[in-house]
Amino acid sequence: MKKEYDILVIGSGLGGLVSALILAKEGMKVCVLEKNNQYGGNLQTFSRDKLIFDTGVHYLGGLSKGQNLNQFFSYLEIMDDLELYPMDEDGYDRISFGDDETEYPHAQGYQNFVEQLSRYFPEEKENLENYCEEIQYVCSQFPRYHVVGKDHYNEEILHLNTKRFIESVTHNKKLQSVLLGSNFLYAGDSENVPFYVHALTVNSYIQSAYKCVKGGSQISKLLIRKLREYGAEVYKHSEVSEFVFNENNALTAVQTKTGKEYLAKQFISNIEIRSTIKLIGEERLKKSFLNRVLSWKPVSSCFSVYLVLKPHSLPNFNYNRYHYSSEDLVWNASQYQKESWPETYMLSSTPSKHHPEFAESLTAISYMDFEEVKEWENTFNTVADEHERGEAYEKFKLEKTEKMLDALEKKIPNLRHAIKTIYTSSPLSYRDYIGNFEGNMYGYMKSSENPLKTMVSPRTKIDNLFLTGQSVNMHGILGVTIGAFNTCAEILGKDTIDRRLTQMINKN
């Protein structure tokens, strides 16, 4: 007899691992299948010159005691083992524009946030206080934002537009740009994006901002260790290539590329929503649903440059730098002119193990359209399945790297002298390693005009198939974690999830 699981999870991104662990803790027989050589989706890290680089998670928010992500991670039993270090309290993010030397800080703690920015904008103090108040109010209206409680969206809040809201808070153009300065975290289209996306993203870091020692992959490693403790099975190099349905249209099993079959009572898909649709088969889904999902525009992708530095060559900075070549770029930073790329970038640094006052590496990221790498879209390359993309591609990456270094040297003169080795990743790397459509960073673009268009229920038309992950509603570590709890609430019932979380909060 073939083994049958209670729950089979396809994909081991954060949403899949969190869902799997919640259900394993309930005593269910759980199995997770991952196609790649490394678990974790956007949590993946890679090692070069014996140093660790993050692919997606450069910092985390909301992890101090009593804060929401801390409570979710405590419930998952991974909080105490996370190795974190706090970022600069008076400016975990610093925003700069063009040739202006000033770096405007986003500080931790709402009072501190207002205080630090008031030094640059003394007449705007009250406006800054209003901004902070509104952000906290909007977040409080979200299901599970306070861990337990609210189970539906306040629709009025979904329609709030970021641009209109920021303009209503202050008329000071420079301050508007500073407040929007970290919009790289939701991919930059501040003109159309709903304000809740901005609020949920920013609020998390204002609460508290941390970096992971040894990279974000420790989150997935801890989750997998816990899963195994609860008896779950986790397999990599197991790409699901087919769904097996019975005559009643219920999903009974999946088949992997190697021909293995896995039977289960219920399934959770944590892979890109378009890939899930392919596996389900378009004929099984409503035309209206299909058309809606296929009309979504992916968020921009990016090009990253990873610099290994010579020892003691560059002072470390314990914050992220967001730089724009001009102030008005913040409104739609992902739409750039090829000739003047990179018009904006995020730069972060990692301290040297033995001499933390110096940086051992830098990561610089800028937007890049998939169009720029389209001529190589039929090539595929990962550690598990290596292929060269050819000389023209290498030349393309080299040209982009030089342009990025030129931009960085305006801020850090003579940076090139401090570099030991350089590595890069393009939209194709993100597509191949993480499985995102066209290598997008955070799923699909949301619009305040029609916010429900890109919201999907974790329940599908297939009774025993559920969805989780960043294509379903909110992206980011917190968004995806909340999403996973919501997915499991569909399977176990909301009351069960609330009861478990309440017990944990009372215990702590």
Side-chain angles (χ1 to χ4, degrees):
M1 277 295 286
K2 273 193 178 165
K3 189 171 182 181
E4 187 184 38
Y5 299 95
D6 295 318
I7 297 281
L8 185 93
V9 179
I10 303 148
S12 73
L14 179 65
L17 292 176
V18 170
S19 301
L21 184 48
I22 295 166
L23 299 168
K25 280 178 65 127
E26 293 295 319
M28 291 184 164
K29 234 160 61 188
V30 177
C31 176
V32 180
L33 301 179
E34 167 57 52
K35 70 169 185 171
N36 276 332
N37 184 45
Q38 198 185 133
Y39 299 115
N42 270 318
L43 295 167
Q44 290 176 68
T45 49
F46 62 92
S47 171
R48 295 286 183 272
D49 296 28
K50 297 188 180 146
L51 301 183
I52 300 232
F53 288 93
D54 274 301
T55 52
V57 177
H58 296 95
Y59 57 145
L60 301 162
L63 276 178
S64 289
K65 200 158 177 54
Q67 292 172 357
N68 50 13
L69 195 56
N70 177 302
Q71 292 183 318
F72 286 122
F73 280 5
S74 296
Y75 179 76
L76 298 166
E77 302 171 51
I78 65 169
M79 191 60 222
D80 293 344
D81 295 317
L82 273 181
E83 285 185 64
L84 304 164
Y85 63 93
M87 296 177 71
D88 189 332
E89 215 161 279
D90 292 336
Y92 61 88
D93 282 346
R94 306 207 173 194
I95 321 296
S96 59
F97 307 100
D99 303 328
D100 183 352
E101 297 281 289
T102 315
E103 292 191 320
Y104 298 92
H106 286 190
Q108 298 183 51
Y110 273 102
Q111 207 179 334
N112 195 23
F113 184 92
V114 171
E115 241 161 67
Q116 297 299 331
L117 278 179
S118 298
R119 291 178 184 180
Y120 299 89
F121 304 96
E123 66 298 337
E124 294 285 334
K125 191 167 184 194
E126 197 181 323
N127 292 339
L128 283 163
E129 283 165 352
N130 293 341
Y131 166 80
C132 291
E133 217 168 284
E134 199 60 32
I135 276 194
Q136 291 170 87
Y137 171 70
V138 166
C139 290
S140 74
Q141 297 302 299
F142 262 70
R144 284 211 188 282
Y145 195 80
H146 291 307
V147 184
V148 177
K150 281 193 90 65
D151 63 345
H152 59 278
Y153 293 98
N154 169 339
E155 214 180 305
E156 190 188 324
I157 272 177
L158 299 182
H159 286 275
L160 265 180
N161 169 279
T162 304
K163 183 174 167 64
R164 283 197 294 276
F165 174 77
I166 296 283
E167 287 175 342
S168 75
V169 164
T170 173
H171 297 307
N172 185 313
K173 293 268 186 257
K174 170 81 77 147
L175 181 56
Q176 288 174 3
S177 299
V178 169
L179 293 176
L180 289 169
S182 60
N183 65 19
F184 210 101
L185 296 165
Y186 52 84
D189 180 13
S190 300
E191 290 200 337
N192 299 310
V193 88
F195 180 62
Y196 79 82
V197 174
H198 173 88
L200 289 172
T201 309
V202 171
N203 181 58
S204 210
Y205 295 106
I206 298 178
Q207 286 184 338
S208 60
Y210 292 91
K211 283 200 177 198
C212 282
V213 179
K214 299 201 214 85
S217 62
Q218 62 165 309
I219 298 171
S220 48
K221 286 175 184 149
L222 290 171
L223 288 167
I224 283 162
R225 194 200 304 162
K226 276 288 158 208
L227 274 165
R228 291 192 169 129
E229 278 175 30
Y230 280 100
E233 294 172 29
V234 190
Y235 301 106
K236 49 189 176 186
H237 302 292
S238 303
E239 181 171 353
V240 172
S241 55
E242 198 183 324
F243 279 1
V244 181
F245 291 91
N246 66 13
E247 59 286 355
N248 301 324
N249 208 22
L251 188 51
T252 56
V254 303
Q255 240 176 11
T256 64
K257 261 196 170 152
T258 54
K260 264 188 113 169
E261 198 167 69
Y262 292 83
L263 279 68
K265 296 187 181 93
Q266 293 180 300
F267 300 78
I268 295 175
S269 174
N270 177 218
I271 57 176
E272 158 64 51
I273 196 161
R274 290 174 188 234
S275 309
T276 307
I277 285 173
K278 256 194 208 122
L279 290 168
I280 293 171
E282 296 193 359
E283 69 288 351
R284 283 195 171 84
L285 294 164
K286 275 191 177 160
K287 260 277 177 275
S288 56
F289 173 77
L290 264 178
N291 293 341
R292 178 158 72 99
V293 172
L294 297 177
S295 73
W296 294 353
K297 283 191 169 61
V299 158
S300 176
S301 186
C302 60
F303 186 85
S304 301
V305 178
Y306 308 98
L307 306 174
V308 177
L309 302 172
K310 294 171 187 162
H312 313 133
S313 59
L314 204 71
N316 184 52
F317 47 93
N318 190 18
Y319 50 86
N320 302 304
R321 291 166 135 161
Y322 290 94
H323 183 72
Y324 297 83
S325 49
S326 74
E327 279 172 43
D328 47 3
L329 264 177
V330 295
W331 294 106
N332 39 24
S334 54
Q335 294 156 33
Y336 58 92
Q337 301 299 314
K338 264 192 206 172
E339 309 70 54
S340 49
W341 186 94
E343 296 180 337
T344 171
Y345 60 79
M346 172 196 175
L347 181 67
S348 65
S349 103
T350 308
S352 147
K353 254 189 303 292
H354 303 299
H355 299 278
E357 67 277 19
F358 290 102
E360 64 180 17
S361 68
L362 295 179
T363 299
I365 310 172
S366 187
Y367 293 110
M368 182 172 280
D369 290 333
F370 192 76
E371 279 305 307
E372 292 214 43
V373 292
K374 208 164 173 58
E375 61 183 282
W376 303 286
E377 75 175 328
N378 296 323
T379 64
F380 184 87
N381 180 35
T382 64
V383 172
D385 189 6
E386 284 194 58
H387 302 279
E388 292 294 317
R389 299 200 206 267
E391 214 172 293
Y393 178 69
E394 293 308 317
K395 184 171 173 271
F396 165 82
K397 287 202 301 182
L398 202 62
E399 281 169 8
K400 292 292 180 188
T401 303
E402 286 305 314
K403 283 185 162 186
M404 178 65 91
L405 292 177
D406 287 345
L408 294 176
E409 281 200 322
K410 288 179 183 163
K411 274 264 165 232
I412 306 172
N414 300 322
L415 171 63
R416 281 181 169 88
H417 296 306
I419 297 171
K420 186 174 145 206
T421 36
I422 299 176
Y423 301 94
T424 57
S425 58
S426 79
L428 295 169
S429 328
Y430 288 93
R431 180 199 67 180
D432 294 354
Y433 277 95
I434 295 164
N436 295 348
F437 178 64
E438 294 190 345
N440 72 63
M441 287 195 279
Y442 311 120
Y444 294 89
M445 283 187 189
K446 295 166 174 57
S447 164
S448 57
E449 290 299 302
N450 190 353
L452 296 176
K453 182 185 172 186
T454 47
M455 285 197 163
V456 178
S457 162
R459 249 180 207 290
T460 69
K461 290 288 171 275
I462 313 294
D463 274 351
N464 59 341
L465 172 65
F466 301 85
L467 304 174
T468 200
Q470 70 171 9
S471 326
V472 187
N473 305 334
M474 247 331 255
H475 69 277
I477 297 280
L478 178 64
V480 168
T481 301
I482 288 177
F485 275 87
N486 288 339
T487 297
C488 293
E490 294 286 344
I491 295 169
L492 299 168
K494 180 183 179 293
D495 292 349
T496 304
I497 292 280
D498 282 356
R499 205 164 51 245
R500 298 285 183 265
L501 287 165
T502 306
Q503 285 162 349
M504 185 264 315
I505 291 165
N506 294 340
K507 209 167 78 187
N508 290 350

